[in-house]
Amino acid sequence: MPRWWKRIGCGFQLLLILSLLLGAYTAWWWIDSARTCETQNEYNLRGICLMRIQERAEQGDNAAQWTYGSYLETERRETEARAWQLQAMHGAQVGLALRGEMLSFCDRMPGFEARTVEGIMLRVARNSPDAHLRLLQLYIYPQCGAFDLDKASAQIPLLTQCAPLTLRDYLESAESAHRRVPPATREAIRANVKICEKELAGQTPPDTTVQEIIPVRRDHLDDLARRLAALEP
């Protein structure tokens, strides 16, 4: 054992060992945070991955702004979170930039008023047809002032992706409001079911398409078919 190690005393030896262990753990933590970036989300962002997300958000990356805002929300930094989420919403240019937060915050958070949310979705839909799914979800969301079943019906023929759960919610909303579902709308729903059948067969839509959270299943389509059949005279 080196003489210098004996001379520094037990207390300093222990402190040095603890410092080395702490340094090794810190180095491992940073390396691991970079290695696991692909598996991290807004609930467990950390280290280098968090720094990258923040940097991308500050550079105007829309997806990073939503993610960073959600991370700040989990850290109970609500004021900062809302600022990033509002920035992300107003900067939306394509359907994928329209997030569920726009629906859940509608008329509940300052800046997410129904007219504002609807206006942004309509603007995006002009150049990004897959945004019509978000518009349909907005118009059938009863907690939002944009709720309008007539506008919802107009979005259904414009859907570019399989949407059985949203269409089920539309039919339930129409039933609750004692609203008749027009034949043209029923036909548009059947056309969407054909898109779903292709997806079940493995013909998935492009990655740039806004999709429902839950992948389509056979029981989704069977349930939709039963609801449509019940509407027939």
Side-chain angles (χ1 to χ4, degrees):
M1 185 176 295
R3 293 179 181 177
W4 64 267
W5 180 258
K6 295 180 180 179
R7 287 199 301 266
I8 62 177
C10 292
F12 196 75
Q13 288 174 358
L14 182 60
L15 181 62
L16 185 58
I17 292 172
L18 290 175
S19 298
L20 290 173
L21 290 174
L22 180 61
Y25 173 78
T26 302
W28 171 85
W29 187 87
W30 281 99
I31 293 171
D32 186 67
S33 73
R35 183 180 61 83
T36 59
C37 259
E38 292 184 359
T39 62
Q40 293 181 37
N41 55 39
E42 59 267 29
Y43 303 107
N44 60 4
L45 275 174
R46 58 192 174 89
I48 291 175
C49 192
L50 174 59
M51 293 171 62
R52 289 174 180 170
I53 289 292
Q54 182 178 359
E55 181 180 7
R56 284 169 47 202
E58 291 170 347
Q59 292 173 349
D61 184 296
N62 186 274
Q65 289 171 344
W66 280 116
T67 301
Y68 189 53
S70 297
Y71 162 77
L72 292 172
E73 196 171 14
T74 64
E75 292 293 305
R76 300 186 181 279
R77 295 159 62 181
E78 284 84 1
T79 301
E80 294 175 78
R82 296 295 172 262
W84 282 109
Q85 289 160 339
L86 280 169
Q87 188 172 337
M89 181 178 71
H90 284 281
Q93 297 296 326
V94 295
L96 285 175
L98 305 178
R99 298 297 180 91
E101 287 92 332
M102 296 176 70
L103 298 174
S104 60
F105 292 165
C106 180
D107 283 340
R108 292 180 52 239
M109 299 291 180
F112 288 90
E113 291 78 18
R115 183 176 297 179
T116 301
V117 175
E118 181 184 17
I120 291 172
M121 287 188 175
L122 287 169
R123 169 175 58 79
V124 171
R126 286 198 294 268
N127 300 315
S128 185
D130 54 0
H132 290 290
L133 175 59
R134 286 285 186 246
L135 271 169
L136 174 58
Q137 292 169 338
L138 178 73
Y139 291 141
I140 63 174
Y141 187 53
Q143 283 77 25
C144 178
F147 180 83
D148 189 316
L149 291 178
D150 289 332
K151 290 183 178 180
S153 297
Q155 297 301 316
I156 294 174
L158 305 175
L159 294 176
T160 59
Q161 65 283 94
C162 171
L165 300 180
T166 304
L167 291 171
R168 179 204 62 194
D169 292 343
Y170 162 79
L171 292 176
E172 287 181 349
S173 295
E175 182 180 4
S176 297
H178 304 289
R179 293 285 300 275
R180 176 176 174 272
V181 179
T185 303
R186 298 201 295 270
E187 189 58 37
I189 294 175
R190 293 190 184 93
N192 190 265
V193 170
K194 292 179 181 178
I195 296 176
C196 297
E197 293 286 358
K198 291 181 180 179
E199 186 169 327
L200 275 178
Q203 302 177 38
T204 56
D207 291 339
T208 53
T209 302
V210 174
Q211 299 177 3
E212 293 187 322
I213 295 177
I214 302 176
V216 62
R217 302 197 309 252
R218 169 54 57 189
D219 58 308
H220 294 163
L221 302 187
D222 292 343
D223 178 60
L224 198 56
R226 285 193 295 269
R227 293 175 184 274
L228 283 172
L231 297 176
E232 296 299 329

